[in-house]
Amino acid sequence: MKKTLAALALAGSIALIGSAPATAATYPALPPAAGVSDGTVAPGETFTFTGQGFLAGETVTITITVVTGGAANAGGTAVSAKIPVFQAPQTLTATADAQGKIAVPLALNEAGTYSITATGNTSGVTVGPVTVTVAASLANTGGNAGGAPLANTGSGAGLANTGADSGLVLWTLVGAGALAAGATSVVVVRRRAKAEAAV
């Protein structure tokens, strides 16, 4: 009975330890790239600017430049509502994660087209420019409670991978095999013990 419990405990521990998540490994640097979760937003709507290819833990300067400003007329072509005053580029900073990536939520309040770039302060790697259009026509005029703008439901960004990792599946199968082998050995040991006792 003690051998049975020991064999089952060993097989169970192998199954549980084998299904533990793998430790982080060192990955090669990602190629420089930039993107936004949505290229056309309403004034004040939050979108996410992403960049990669920086050094791990590096400070990254993000630059937002006004490309054009103005309102759209009924025909759909852009016309200036007033003489546009192009503002100086706005900057902010972020810190790259262990993979050299950044993801920064941004919101722009004025209609127009904006260009966004990011530069690593240590590596000098620059990604972008990425263009974002803030369309005044997307602002809600009060059709919902409180008159707040409607949320964007089609960000275009990919969903996180929540599927099983191949390593997890492999170790689960190994653990299940070890559990089956342990149970089989218990049965064999018991049969031998009964056969020896009968002789």
Side-chain angles (χ1 to χ4, degrees):
M1 185 65 177
K2 289 181 182 179
K3 290 181 182 179
T4 303
L5 292 176
L8 289 175
L10 176 63
S13 66
I14 291 173
L16 292 176
I17 292 171
S19 63
T23 58
T26 304
Y27 295 101
L30 298 170
V36 289
S37 59
D38 197 346
T40 304
V41 295
E45 180 181 350
T46 300
F47 62 95
T48 303
F49 171 75
T50 57
Q52 66 182 35
F54 306 106
L55 298 175
E58 177 178 22
T59 301
V60 178
T61 300
I62 300 164
T63 306
I64 304 169
T65 308
V66 178
V67 178
T68 61
N73 65 9
T77 58
V79 295
S80 181
K82 55 186 174 184
I83 296 172
V85 178
F86 294 100
Q87 301 171 349
Q90 301 295 311
T91 60
L92 58 131
T93 59
T95 302
D97 65 11
Q99 294 179 340
K101 296 168 64 175
I102 59 168
V104 181
L106 300 172
L108 302 169
N109 294 326
E110 299 295 324
T113 303
Y114 297 83
S115 173
I116 307 173
T117 59
T119 303
N121 294 347
T122 304
S123 66
V125 171
T126 298
V127 296
V130 177
T131 302
V132 174
T133 301
V134 179
S137 61
L138 292 179
N140 186 10
T141 58
N144 65 337
L150 296 174
N152 177 20
T153 57
S155 68
L159 295 175
N161 180 7
T162 59
D165 181 17
S166 61
L168 175 67
V169 173
L170 174 67
W171 281 109
T172 301
L173 291 174
V174 168
L179 187 60
T184 303
S185 66
V186 168
V187 170
V188 169
V189 167
R190 283 189 174 176
R191 286 188 180 171
R192 280 187 186 168
K194 285 182 183 180
E196 289 175 5
V199 173

